[in-house]
Amino acid sequence: MDHKHHHSHHHHNVRSESTSVNISPDAFFICPMHPEVRQKGPGSCPICGMALEPEKITLDQEDNSELLDFTFRFKISLFLSLPLFFLAMSDLIPGQPVQNNFSSTVLVFIQFFLATPVILWAGFPILHRGWVSLKTLNLNMFTLIALGTMAAYVYSLVATFFPGLFPENFKMHGGMVGVYYEAAAVIITLVLLGQVLELRARHKTGNAIKALLQLAPKEARKINDDGSEVEVLITDIKVGDKLRVRPGEKVPVDGLVLEGRSVIDESMITGEPVPVEKIQGDKVTGATVNGAGGFIMEATRVGADTLLSQIVEMVSQAQRSRAPIQKLADTFSKYFVPIVVVVSMITAVVWFYLGPDPAFTFALVNMVSVLIIACPCAVGLATPMSIMVGTGKGATHGVLIKDAAALEAMGEINALMVDKTGTLTIGRPQLTEVIVEGEFKENEMLEMVASLEKASEHPLAESIVRGAQERGIKLKDAQNFETITGMGVKGVINGNVILVGNKKLLSTNGVNPELLSQIAKTIQVEGGGAMLVAINGKPAGVIGVRDPIKETSKEAIEYFHKRGIKVIMVTGDNQGTANAVAKKLGIDEVRAEVLPEMKGEIVRNLQSQGLKVAMAGDGINDAPALAQAEVGIAMGTGTDVAMESAGVTLVKGDIMGIVRAHRLSQATMRNIKQNLFFAFIYNILGIPLAAGILYPSFGLLLSPMFASLAMSLSSVSVIVNSLRLNKAKI
C-alpha cells in the first residue's frame, strides 16, 4: 500500500508541474534524427533543434502540446505579418495613398509595433534553438534562421531609433532609413508554418502504429472454473485463462483453440487476405477477426507478449532507427551550415564594397537571403520521414523491419538463400497418391492403412490419417498393432493382416516387394515419400506422401530472377528431393543435406564471392546464419530469438513476404533519394541566386521573403513525398 501511495503522490507532483495534459510524467521523448538524445518530457533536440517525439506511441496519449503551441504562434504571426507586408509594399501602390497620409516616421513605428511580437514572441522557440546551437556549437538549421532574422531585425531597430547613425545616402524621402521588419516577420511566419506542417506530418507517421494498436479488442469473455462467463478487460487476462470467442468477434489475445472450430481472418497481421481454418489445438493470434464459427480458447501470451504488442514495439523501434544513408545527410549538414555562414559574410562584404548605393542595405538583405535559403531543414527530414512511413506500411502487410539499416540493405541484396521446407513448400507432408495393385479398391486400402497408422508414431502417419479423414473415410481400431523399428508397422483390421512400410518389411514377412518398390521409386525421384502396403501376404499398393510446393513460390522466384537476384535453396533433405523441387521452381543453386549449423558457413561462402546475401530461415537454429547475412529474414516463427537476430521478420512464413519486403525496401530507398533531391535542389539553386549572382546581368535579386518561402516549400515537398509512400504497392 505504502509503495502505491508514494507512487501516486509522486505522480501528482509531476503532473502539476508539467504543462502538457494526459501524458505519463515518466514518458521519455527522443529525437528522430539523434536517438541518443533521450529525456523525460517533451522539448527540442540540443543537436539539431528538432522537436522530440514520445518514445512509445499509445492510443490514449495525444500529447500535441508542441503542435498546438506552434499553431497558435503561427496564427498570431500571420495576423500581424499580413498588414506589415502590405505596409512595406505600399509604396508600390500607384499614387502612394499610404505615404501621402502618414509621415514615414509613423509608418516605421507601426511596422516596429507589428513586427516585434512576431519576432520576439512568436519566433521565440526558433530563436532560442538558434541561440542554443551557437552556444553548444552544434550548428543547425535554426542557427541560420536565427542569424538571418536577427540581422534584419536589429538593423531595422537601429534605423528606427537612431537614424542619425546612418550616412545620407541611406535615407529615403522624409529623412528615414529603410527598414526590414517585414522581411524578418515574414521569415518567422513561414518558418512557423513549416514547423506546423512538419509536426503534423510526423504525427501522421505514427498512424501505422496507432492503427495496429486499435486492432486489439478492449474486452473479452472469460469462462470461470464453474462454467459461468464474465466480461473482463483485455489487460486483466492471465495466461491459462479460458476465453470464449463468438462469431464475428476479435480474438482477444494469443492462444490455443480448446474446443470448437472456425475460420479466422488474419490479414491485419499477416497481410494475407485468405482466411485460415482453425481447429482444436491450433494457434490463434490476438486482434485477428473470427469468422462464422465460435470457439473456446486458452490464453498463452498476454499483454506485452502478444504478437501484436511485439509488432508495435518492433515498429516503433524501427521508426526511430537511423539508416546508413542518413550519415550522408548528417555529414552534409555538419559542414554545410558553417560554410553557409561564411558565404553569407562574403556576400555581405562583396555587396558592401562593390554594390550600388545604398551599399549597406544591399549587403544586409542579400546576406539574410543567403542564410535563409540555405537552411537545410528539409535535409534533416528526408530520411527519417521515409523510414517512419515505410516501416509502418510494412507492419500492416506482415513485414516487420527491425531497423532502418535492414530496410536499406534489403534493397541492395543480390542473393537470396531460402530453406525448402516451410518456405518454398508448405512444410508438412500431405497424402498425394494412393496406388492400388491388389484386389482392394483405393478407399478400402486407404481405410485399412489409415486405421493402422492412427496408432503409429511415425511422422508421416499423421498425414495419411488426415488425408483419409479429408476424403471422408471412417477409421477403425487396429488389433495386434506393432511397430517394427526401421521397417514400418503391422496389425490386423477387420480380420485382414496389414503391413505398411519399406521394402525390407515386406521381404521379411515373405511378400515379394519388387513390383511395389518400382512404383515407389518413381514417387521418390520426384521428392516424395512412399510406403509399400501388403494385405494378407499379398502386395496391395503404394501410398505416396509429399510436402507440396506453395502456389506462391514460383511467382516469387520469378520476381527475384527478373531483378538479377540469385536464389539458393538449402535443405536438410536428400539431393533427389531437393533437385525435384528446384527443377519445378527453376531455382539456380541447390545445397541439400545441409545441417542447420552449416548454414552460416554457406552464407560466408556466398559473401566471399562478393554477394550481398539475404537469408530466410525459421530462426530457432538459424540464428547464427541470420546474423551473418546482410539481411536475416525470420519466417513467421514468432520466436523472440529470431526477431532478435533477424533484420526482417515475416509474420507469415511465406516467400511472397520476402518479395514484399524487397519491394518495400526499394520503394523506401527511392523515396529517400527523391527527398534528398528535393532538399538539396532548393539550396543548390537558391544560394547563388540569393547572393545576387544574377544581379549584374539581369538585375535579379531574391528577397529574404522569397528565400523563406522556398525553404518552407522544400520541407513541405519532402513531407508530402514521404507520405506518398503509403500508396506504394508492395
Side-chain angles (χ1 to χ4, degrees):
M1 182 60 212
D2 192 298
H3 164 74
K4 198 167 182 175
H5 171 76
H6 165 77
H7 177 75
S8 62
H9 172 73
H10 155 82
H11 201 86
H12 169 76
N13 254 355
V14 179
R15 189 50 71 81
S16 54
E17 288 159 25
S18 133
T19 48
S20 69
V21 212
N22 64 9
I23 185 157
S24 118
D26 300 331
F28 275 95
F29 279 67
I30 66 170
C31 170
M33 306 249 310
H34 303 94
E36 65 275 15
V37 174
R38 184 169 180 267
Q39 64 170 49
K40 276 193 184 175
S44 57
C45 169
I47 303 175
C48 64
M50 266 174 101
L52 299 179
E53 307 222 312
E55 191 170 29
K56 283 203 168 32
I57 294 184
T58 57
L59 278 178
D60 48 4
Q61 154 220 321
E62 285 293 330
D63 176 64
N64 275 357
S65 51
E66 184 114 24
L67 179 57
L68 296 172
D69 178 43
F70 270 91
T71 311
F72 180 58
R73 287 174 194 269
F74 166 67
K75 284 178 178 160
I76 300 286
S77 64
L78 185 65
F79 176 71
L80 295 171
S81 302
L82 285 174
L84 187 60
F85 185 69
F86 174 72
L87 276 181
M89 296 296 160
S90 64
D91 54 348
L92 302 177
I93 301 171
Q96 301 207 332
V98 181
Q99 273 70 6
N100 295 341
N101 293 323
F102 296 96
S103 77
S104 53
T105 316
V106 172
L107 289 176
V108 167
F109 273 96
I110 293 175
Q111 291 191 39
F112 163 72
F113 282 119
L114 286 170
T116 302
V118 173
I119 291 147
L120 300 185
W121 174 78
F124 177 76
I126 288 159
L127 300 177
H128 177 252
R129 290 173 189 183
W131 167 243
V132 170
S133 73
L134 285 167
K135 226 169 41 184
T136 57
L137 285 180
N138 283 316
L139 301 186
N140 58 41
M141 61 188 228
F142 294 102
T143 323
L144 298 178
I145 298 168
L147 285 173
T149 43
M150 286 320 281
Y153 180 65
V154 171
Y155 168 80
S156 303
L157 281 183
V158 176
T160 307
F161 293 100
F162 309 104
L165 296 177
F166 292 92
E168 277 310 305
N169 60 3
F170 271 55
K171 296 185 178 160
M172 301 188 302
H173 41 186
M176 281 307 291
V177 178
V179 289
Y180 289 95
Y181 288 122
E182 90 285 358
V186 170
I187 289 167
I188 291 287
T189 308
L190 285 164
V191 172
L192 284 169
L193 172 67
Q195 287 290 304
V196 167
L197 289 169
E198 179 193 319
L199 286 164
R200 267 203 191 145
R202 271 165 50 186
H203 196 65
K204 266 206 189 113
T205 53
N207 283 356
I209 297 186
K210 287 215 171 77
L212 287 168
L213 286 168
Q214 274 162 349
L215 290 175
K218 303 274 176 286
E219 312 185 311
R221 288 189 77 78
K222 181 178 164 186
I223 303 175
N224 297 325
D225 298 340
D226 60 5
S228 62
E229 294 187 14
V230 52
E231 291 274 335
V232 293
L233 291 172
I234 290 290
T235 42
D236 297 337
I237 296 176
K238 294 179 185 52
V239 171
D241 281 356
K242 273 171 127 184
L243 307 166
R244 180 182 296 284
V245 183
R246 289 177 296 196
E249 287 186 336
K250 285 183 174 177
V251 178
V253 291
D254 297 5
L256 296 172
V257 177
L258 293 177
E259 52 188 275
R261 57 190 305 154
S262 186
V263 174
I264 292 186
D265 174 6
E266 298 190 331
S267 59
M268 60 291 303
I269 286 186
T270 60
E272 295 286 332
V274 184
V276 189
E277 192 179 357
K278 301 285 178 184
I279 54 171
Q280 196 181 339
D282 282 346
K283 284 186 179 162
V284 288
T285 306
T288 55
V289 180
N290 183 23
F295 59 90
I296 294 174
M297 62 176 280
E298 178 188 347
T300 54
R301 294 200 293 190
V302 300
D305 298 333
T306 61
L307 182 61
L308 187 71
S309 304
Q310 288 184 328
I311 291 176
V312 169
E313 178 56 27
M314 199 163 169
V315 176
S316 45
Q317 278 184 10
Q319 289 195 334
R320 297 196 303 263
S321 61
R322 299 164 62 81
I325 193 168
Q326 205 175 323
K327 290 242 172 33
L328 179 83
D330 286 357
T331 319
F332 168 81
S333 298
K334 194 166 113 195
Y335 294 110
F336 187 67
V337 177
I339 290 169
V340 170
V341 175
V342 172
V343 170
S344 70
M345 302 292 184
I346 295 169
T347 305
V349 170
V350 170
W351 276 93
F352 187 69
Y353 285 110
L354 304 178
D357 275 346
F360 187 79
T361 307
F362 272 117
L364 173 85
V365 170
N366 292 321
M367 177 184 94
V368 172
S369 291
V370 169
L371 286 172
I372 300 297
I373 191 119
C375 175
C377 44
V379 178
L381 290 172
T383 320
M385 285 292 295
S386 297
I387 296 289
M388 287 171 130
V389 178
T391 46
K393 184 175 174 66
T396 53
H397 287 76
V399 177
L400 305 180
I401 310 286
K402 185 176 179 190
D403 54 28
L407 188 60
E408 186 171 326
M410 187 70 209
E412 295 168 355
I413 60 160
N414 47 20
L416 170 66
M417 198 167 128
V418 287
D419 220 333
K420 174 181 82 69
T421 314
T423 305
L424 299 172
T425 63
I426 283 174
R428 54 170 200 216
Q430 292 185 353
L431 173 69
T432 47
E433 283 109 334
V434 179
I435 298 163
V436 186
E437 280 300 328
E439 70 231 51
F440 290 97
K441 292 196 182 62
E442 199 173 300
N443 276 6
E444 287 176 329
M445 182 174 96
L446 184 55
E447 180 192 329
M448 293 190 237
V449 172
S451 301
L452 183 63
E453 290 288 4
K454 195 169 64 165
S456 162
E457 296 289 311
H458 193 276
L460 295 181
E462 190 206 348
S463 53
I464 295 177
V465 173
R466 206 172 43 240
Q469 283 169 335
E470 278 166 11
R471 296 185 186 199
I473 292 173
K474 293 264 179 287
L475 303 186
K476 310 266 191 312
D477 289 327
Q479 277 84 41
N480 311 343
F481 174 83
E482 58 177 308
T483 302
I484 302 153
T485 314
M487 297 191 214
V489 290
K490 75 188 262 196
V492 179
I493 288 173
N494 294 353
N496 297 311
V497 181
I498 326 261
L499 300 168
V500 182
N502 57 17
K503 206 168 154 178
K504 204 161 159 200
L505 177 73
L506 269 59
S507 42
T508 322
N509 283 281
V511 181
N512 178 2
E514 282 318 311
L515 171 68
L516 297 183
S517 141
Q518 285 308 314
I519 302 171
K521 271 210 181 70
T522 58
I523 295 176
Q524 282 156 344
V525 165
E526 287 181 18
M531 287 179 257
L532 314 184
V533 183
I535 300 176
N536 299 332
K538 290 197 204 66
V542 178
I543 303 273
V545 174
R546 304 166 197 254
D547 181 3
I549 291 174
K550 287 186 183 170
E551 288 142 40
T552 46
S553 296
K554 200 163 175 58
E555 187 188 336
I557 297 220
E558 278 167 11
Y559 169 90
F560 289 118
H561 282 166
K562 270 203 193 89
R563 281 155 189 75
I565 295 168
K566 186 169 164 180
V567 182
I568 300 103
M569 179 176 98
V570 288
T571 177
D573 278 357
N574 62 31
Q575 195 74 47
T577 308
N579 287 344
V581 172
K583 202 166 109 204
K584 272 197 189 129
L585 292 172
I587 288 179
D588 341 60
E589 228 181 281
V590 180
R591 310 275 172 98
E593 294 163 37
V594 173
L595 298 169
E597 49 273 25
M598 289 157 59
K599 287 181 184 171
E601 198 44 57
I602 298 177
V603 174
R604 273 192 289 277
N605 176 3
L606 291 166
Q607 285 168 331
S608 65
Q609 301 167 29
L611 292 170
K612 290 191 167 141
V613 185
M615 144 94 189
D618 64 5
I620 299 167
N621 44 23
D622 295 343
L626 290 174
Q628 172 68 38
E630 266 79 11
V631 187
I633 303 170
M635 304 290 285
T637 52
T639 58
D640 306 344
V641 186
M643 287 185 167
E644 279 312 299
S645 52
V648 176
T649 301
L650 302 175
V651 178
K652 186 160 182 279
D654 186 23
I655 189 161
M656 279 316 279
I658 308 179
V659 171
R660 279 202 201 106
H662 189 258
R663 276 199 197 123
L664 178 71
S665 162
Q666 291 204 313
T668 309
M669 294 318 293
R670 206 167 38 240
N671 196 269
I672 289 175
K673 285 171 185 147
Q674 291 160 351
N675 282 353
L676 288 169
F677 172 77
F678 282 131
F680 286 125
I681 197 81
Y682 287 95
N683 292 347
I684 290 160
L685 296 178
I687 293 173
L689 207 66
I693 201 159
L694 297 181
Y695 186 76
S697 35
F698 298 102
L700 273 180
L701 276 178
L702 187 68
S703 89
M705 290 183 278
F706 272 112
S708 56
L709 185 66
M711 177 192 75
S712 289
L713 275 177
S714 76
S715 292
V716 172
S717 45
V718 162
I719 290 167
V720 170
N721 190 49
S722 299
L723 292 172
R724 244 191 54 228
L725 243 190
N726 275 320
K727 308 263 187 302
K729 199 182 161 319
I730 65 162

